[in-house]
């Protein structure tokens, strides 16, 4: 087997690892699982790291299992949380589970017939018939309260300023640990991976595998990756509008592309290792090129293009680049008219707007009144005429003169008009 640990280490994807993990992965195809809790019907870019780990595992010949926590999602993972989560109702949980399965299916082919084909499982399937009495006898007796209390996720909650930890959340690590035992028993799963905040839960799983297995030589391994942060220490994966999601109905492809394009130089150098599949030599060359001409933002462009293509598609990437060029490049009226309404409004988010009546356009509307009375874009008819004489006014990215008359055929998506003075001053007219 090729050395996947060496690959993940130079990419900055290894935080902690149980002894023997690297040797196991070098020896044979190893079944490995990562869990995803259904707190939403989609995943955001914080979940890209575990997804990428699963893809690396498959590419290196190992068998990845993606576990959707239909059961654990009913409780909520206390790791890294200062307060108890609100419990989700069953309908919401089922909806979220289905949504996450759709997201994961974009990156892993669960219908493949390869020997190391990815597997998608839901822990609700084996927990739903497990009675409390059976769980207490078969699982609870294997792990001491002392062991559970020593976990950081528990100690932080008990020593914090909040209300402590409920019994419900206290049992989370046992349920997650039982997942590992179940996958070990039925699929010969030997390794669990996750974020560094999951180390306590994962090692509880390795203990359960050993203690519940009649074979004293039962093997179980653990590995975590770092939680991704920005260079300034702030949380990764947030934009001004909140989480950056992997579904385009929650975060448009344009905004997704812009998130990566706007990363700092320091972050781009780290992220291009973590979030792309470029080989080491290619990344080293890109970093050198970027340092030689940082104003070209080579790293950010390569990062944004690679991640957008991976999460969405090449066609979606091309549309996002086209949308970016409209605001920052030499776009045409035809380019503008190819934008859908959502992308148009996102490209020109924050640009002043005004509404005009559709019936006023039927016979045409002169450009001077549009620039002044109808929009307030310019302060007077005189200023409008001077700007037109200076050839500094564009309608839908095309320069116009004082003779220009706006007609219904000029509308973008039969709804918008983009006014522009000079290179950076924009105004949007919405026809109602």
């Amino acid at each position: 087997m090729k050395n996947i640990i060496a690959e993940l280490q130079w990419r900055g994807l290894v935080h902690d690892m149980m002894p023997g993990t690297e040797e196991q992965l070098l020896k044979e195809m190893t079944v490995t699982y990562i869990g995803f809790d259904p707190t939403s019907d989609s995943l955001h870019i914080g979940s890209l790291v575990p997804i990428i780990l699963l893809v690396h595992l498959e590419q290196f010949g190992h068998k990845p299992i993606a576990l959707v926590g239909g059961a654990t999602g009913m409780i909520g993972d206390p790791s890294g949380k200062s307060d108890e989560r609100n419990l989700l109702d069953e309908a919401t949980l089922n909806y979220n589970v289905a949504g996450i399965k759709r997201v994961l299916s974009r990156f892993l082919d669960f219908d493949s017939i390869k020997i190391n084909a990815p597997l998608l499982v839901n822990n609700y399937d084996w927990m739903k018939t497990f009675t409390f009495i059976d769980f207490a006898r078969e699982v609870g007796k294997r792990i001491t309260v002392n062991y559970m209390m020593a976990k950081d996720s528990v100690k932080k909650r008990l020593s914090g300023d909040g209300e402590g930890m409920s019994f419900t959340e206290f049992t989370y690590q046992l349920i997650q640990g039982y997942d590992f035992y179940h996958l070990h028993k039925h699929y010969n799963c030997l390794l669990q991976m996750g974020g560094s905040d999951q180390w306590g839960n994962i090692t509880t799983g390795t203990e359960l595998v050993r203690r519940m297995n009649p074979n004293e030589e039962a093997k179980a391994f653990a590995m975590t990756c770092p939680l991704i942060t920005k260079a300034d220490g702030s949380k990764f994966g947030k934009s001004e509008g909140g989480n950056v999601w992997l579904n385009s109905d929650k975060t448009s492809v344009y905004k997704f592309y812009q998130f990566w394009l706007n990363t700092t130089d320091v972050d781009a150098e780290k992220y291009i290792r973590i979030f792309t599949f470029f080989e080491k030599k290619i990344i080293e060359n890109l970093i050198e090129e970027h340092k030689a001409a940082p104003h070209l933002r080579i790293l950010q462009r390569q990062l944004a293009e690679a991640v957008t293509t991976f999460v969405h598609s090449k066609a979606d990437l091309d549309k996002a680049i086209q949308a970016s060029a409209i605001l920052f490049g030499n776009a045409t009226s035809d380019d503008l008219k190819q934008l859908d309404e959502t992308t148009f409004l996102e490209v020109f988010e924050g640009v002043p707007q005004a509404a005009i009546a559709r019936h006023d356009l039927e016979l045409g509307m002169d450009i001077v009144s549009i620039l002044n009375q109808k929009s307030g874009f310019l302060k007077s008819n005189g200023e409008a005429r001077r700007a037109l004489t200076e050839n500094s006014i564009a309608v839908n990215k095309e320069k116009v003169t004082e003779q220009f008359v706006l007609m219904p055929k000029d509308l973008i998506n039969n709804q918008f008009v983009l006014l522009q003075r000079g290179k950076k001053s924009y105004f949007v007219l919405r026809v109602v």
Side-chain angles (χ1 to χ4, degrees), residues 24 28-33 63 65 119 180-191 209 213 215 217-221:
Q24 171 60 38
E28 61 188 354
M29 182 189 79
T30 302
V31 182
T32 304
Y33 100 91
K63 186 178 182 70
I65 298 179
L119 190 64
F180 200 170
Y181 168 75
H182 177 89
L183 295 176
H184 181 278
K185 179 180 179 181
H186 293 276
Y187 300 101
N188 193 34
C189 180
L190 300 182
L191 171 63
V209 168
N213 204 307
N215 175 9
E217 296 181 358
K219 296 180 294 183
F221 301 95

Side-chain angles (χ1 to χ4, degrees), residues 76-89:
D77 185 0
S79 303
K81 299 288 182 285
S82 57
D83 295 302
E84 184 129 357
R85 299 184 188 212
N86 292 325
L87 297 179
L88 299 175
D89 61 76

Side-chain angles (χ1 to χ4, degrees), residues 260-321:
W260 300 99
L261 198 62
N262 291 324
T263 53
T264 65
D265 288 352
V266 175
D267 286 334
E269 190 171 325
K270 178 170 74 170
Y271 295 167
I272 202 160
R273 293 185 178 97
I274 294 170
F275 294 102
T276 77
F277 295 89
F278 294 140
E279 294 178 0
K280 187 176 183 179
K281 189 63 180 175
I282 292 173
I283 289 177
E284 289 172 346
N285 290 340
L286 286 172
I287 290 171
E288 289 305 311
E289 285 180 45
H290 181 86
K291 287 179 177 177
H295 63 284
L296 297 178
R297 299 180 68 78
I298 292 168
L299 272 184
Q300 284 90 340
R301 292 183 186 282
Q302 289 290 334
L303 173 67
E305 290 178 14
V307 182
T308 304
T309 302
F310 176 65
V311 172
H312 296 287
S313 69
K314 179 63 168 65
D316 287 330
L317 167 68
D318 292 340
K319 291 177 184 176
I321 292 173

Side-chain angles (χ1 to χ4, degrees), residues 36-247:
F36 298 84
D37 263 359
T39 52
S40 172
D41 63 333
S42 179
L43 296 170
H44 53 73
I45 56 175
S47 301
L48 259 185
V49 174
I51 288 171
I52 285 170
L53 284 175
L54 291 173
V55 174
H56 278 302
L57 282 162
E58 184 183 10
Q59 290 179 346
F60 275 73
H62 301 289
K63 186 178 182 70
I65 298 179
L67 181 148
V68 182
T72 38
M74 290 181 169
I75 295 172
D77 185 0
S79 303
K81 299 288 182 285
S82 57
D83 295 302
E84 184 129 357
R85 299 184 188 212
N86 292 325
L87 297 179
L88 299 175
D89 61 76
E90 189 172 352
T92 301
L93 200 63
N94 290 338
Y95 181 78
N96 290 354
V97 166
I100 289 176
K101 285 181 176 179
R102 284 194 296 272
V103 174
L104 293 172
S105 296
R106 284 158 41 194
F107 305 99
L108 298 159
D109 182 8
F110 299 112
D111 296 322
S112 170
I113 57 173
K114 295 188 302 182
I115 191 169
N116 69 323
L119 190 64
L120 180 65
V121 297
N122 180 352
N123 61 9
Y124 183 72
D125 291 338
W126 56 84
M127 292 301 300
K128 62 186 176 185
T129 56
F130 214 159
T131 69
F132 178 76
I133 297 295
D134 288 341
F135 187 82
R137 286 174 59 87
E138 294 181 31
V139 182
K141 67 176 291 188
R142 313 283 181 171
I143 302 289
T144 66
V145 170
N146 302 42
Y147 179 89
M148 296 172 70
M149 294 278 285
K151 300 295 184 180
D152 284 343
S153 59
V154 176
K155 286 195 293 188
K156 287 177 182 177
R157 283 287 289 276
L158 296 182
S159 62
D161 298 327
E163 296 182 356
M165 176 182 277
S166 70
F167 174 76
T168 302
E169 283 196 337
F170 187 59
T171 61
Y172 186 94
Q173 62 173 291
L174 284 183
I175 299 175
Q176 181 172 327
Y178 183 78
D179 288 342
F180 200 170
Y181 168 75
H182 177 89
L183 295 176
H184 181 278
K185 179 180 179 181
H186 293 276
Y187 300 101
N188 193 34
C189 180
L190 300 182
L191 171 63
Q192 183 183 172
M193 290 183 173
S196 57
D197 61 337
Q198 291 293 308
W199 182 253
N201 293 334
I202 294 173
T203 51
T204 297
T206 63
E207 281 300 305
L208 272 178
V209 168
R210 293 188 183 97
R211 296 181 188 189
M212 291 184 70
N213 204 307
N215 175 9
E216 292 182 1
E217 296 181 358
K219 296 180 294 183
F221 301 95
M223 196 200 94
T224 59
C225 58
L227 296 180
I228 310 303
T229 57
K230 295 182 181 178
D232 61 7
S234 61
K235 190 171 183 180
F236 167 77
K238 297 270 189 180
S239 67
E240 291 180 7
N243 285 324
V244 179
W245 297 93
L246 303 185
N247 281 14

